[in-house]
Amino acid sequence: LAECARVLKPGGQAFMVIPPDYLRPEFSNQAHLWKADEASVREALTRTGLRIVRDETLHMADLGISGAHPSSDGKTILWQVEKDPAAFSAERETAIQLRFPECLQEFPEQYEAALNATNAILDIVPKSDFSPLARHSPGLANFEWSGYLRLSAIRMVRVGAALRANGLHKGKVLDFGSYFGNFSLFVRELGFEVDAADQYGSYGKAFKHTLPLMQSAGIRVIDLSAGGKSDLSRFPENSYDAVLCLGVIEHIAHTPKPLLLALNRVLRPGGTLVLDTPNLSYVYTREKLASGRPIAAPIQVQFDVEPPFEGHHREYTSEEMVWMLEQIGHEDIHVEMFNFSAYTVSELSGKDAERFRRMERDPQLRELILTRSKKSEAAKPREEAKSPRAQSLSATATVTRKRS
């Protein structure tokens, strides 16, 4: 309905035929996902700025049609609606105020820890040289890291909430792909024992101030540069209560399967895996593709890079993330979609405000995907035993890591 309203001109009309399936609640029609009733249709139309001009209940038998719509007792409703010009104009003229970081106070338990970890990293940014990070990812040359790191608190609070939602208040956590260490510091402040693992030896002196900061907080730093990023063979099996893999999977070339299996191996049965990654179905990405622009890393950035290229090799949809977790035998899979980059400004107006409202209505258009899932107690990947279907695709409202 929101898409119908979006493509209509102000005052434009739409005609919809919607069977009132609530009339036969005992009848199951797998193709009908909404057991619509008149009141909920009216409410949905109004919420999307569509004014009802006419509604008419049609009896299929009166039209000479038999056996149609058994789920709605042989009836359907014709709706004639109009895009309300007044509602449209008011929405366009109203700017959206983004209250960052105050908006994170909806996560009271995680809020202070996220700000503390962020500020600790921001304090060392002015005296750090991050130019070595652009060696294999030219998009990071002259990158404005301070703003990105500030916004990463948006991701932090959701990671902390995901751990708490799975009943974790203490235990051992692996932060795989820890990079700046801000998430490691955050989880450490929440009371966890933390191992931070990344290819630190390949980053030169970029993190020479970061690593001592993590170590002084009691975090064990593990350098993966010798054996390759996905090589966790030296890590004991079933040794972590939770594994974080944040802003990493999109940087993996070829297939992410070896990485996911490696992370799963070190996770104890019943342990929690938290992933976040950019959403391939992000509204701005869709618009790029629709206009004929590339949505992958620009070839001008990638062409002359010294291999291996460490930018984004592939981004994913929420359904693909769930499917991959099922393949490694995970269960109790939850998905949250949220926004990030929008919070670089304090106010959205015009087209950006319209897009933000669309994302509020449809979580699948939001920028980032966060999943939390549990390793099956049987600890068998999908090839051996099928895992249950994901339980929910929940929603909230932002950022990515290494947005190169």
Side-chain angles (χ1 to χ4, degrees), residues 189-258:
E189 185 159 338
L190 290 183
F192 293 91
E193 179 184 351
V194 183
D195 288 352
D198 211 322
Q199 293 179 294
Y200 286 112
S202 67
Y203 298 141
K205 296 182 179 180
F207 297 118
K208 73 174 186 178
H209 299 292
T210 305
L211 303 187
L213 179 63
M214 287 194 284
Q215 291 164 340
S216 66
I219 296 168
R220 185 170 72 126
V221 177
I222 302 169
D223 188 358
L224 300 175
S225 56
K229 186 154 190 168
S230 301
D231 182 13
L232 298 180
S233 57
R234 59 184 150 136
F235 287 63
E237 187 175 350
N238 302 330
S239 54
Y240 291 99
D241 298 289
V243 172
L244 311 180
C245 182
L246 308 171
V248 173
I249 195 169
E250 66 272 15
H251 296 271
I252 302 300
H254 309 302
T255 170
K257 180 179 178 180

Side-chain angles (χ1 to χ4, degrees), residues 5-131:
R6 184 181 68 84
V7 301
L8 279 172
K9 294 180 179 180
Q13 296 198 347
F15 298 84
M16 305 176 182
V17 177
I18 306 175
D21 280 0
Y22 74 98
L23 293 173
R24 290 284 298 277
E26 77 285 355
F27 188 91
S28 175
N29 185 337
Q30 293 184 354
H32 290 196
L33 303 181
W34 185 16
K35 299 289 281 187
D37 63 86
E38 291 183 54
S40 63
V41 173
R42 288 180 181 278
E43 175 70 12
L45 291 169
T46 301
R47 283 179 179 234
T48 48
L50 295 169
R51 185 176 66 84
I52 299 168
V53 177
R54 166 174 165 246
D55 66 277
E56 179 181 352
T57 300
L58 304 176
H59 297 263
M60 309 303 282
D62 294 344
L63 302 176
I65 300 171
S66 61
H69 294 300
S71 60
S72 58
D73 203 22
K75 300 175 184 176
T76 194
I77 301 177
L78 169 67
W79 300 85
Q80 179 183 352
V81 298
E82 177 182 80
K83 184 168 183 175
D84 187 347
F88 176 73
S89 299
E91 183 175 86
R92 283 183 64 94
E93 293 169 3
T94 304
I96 296 175
Q97 304 298 320
L98 300 178
R99 299 174 301 102
F100 177 82
E102 292 78 8
C103 60
L104 301 184
Q105 291 179 0
E106 65 179 284
F107 300 88
E109 186 180 353
Q110 292 80 31
Y111 177 72
E112 290 295 335
L115 293 189
N116 291 341
T118 298
N119 290 331
I121 296 295
L122 288 175
D123 285 344
I124 63 173
V125 167
K127 54 187 176 183
S128 299
D129 177 13
F130 298 120
S131 60

Side-chain angles (χ1 to χ4, degrees), residues 294-302 309 311-313 404:
I295 60 174
I299 192 60
Q300 296 86 348
V301 170
Q302 190 174 358
F309 174 64
H312 291 200
H313 286 269
S404 52

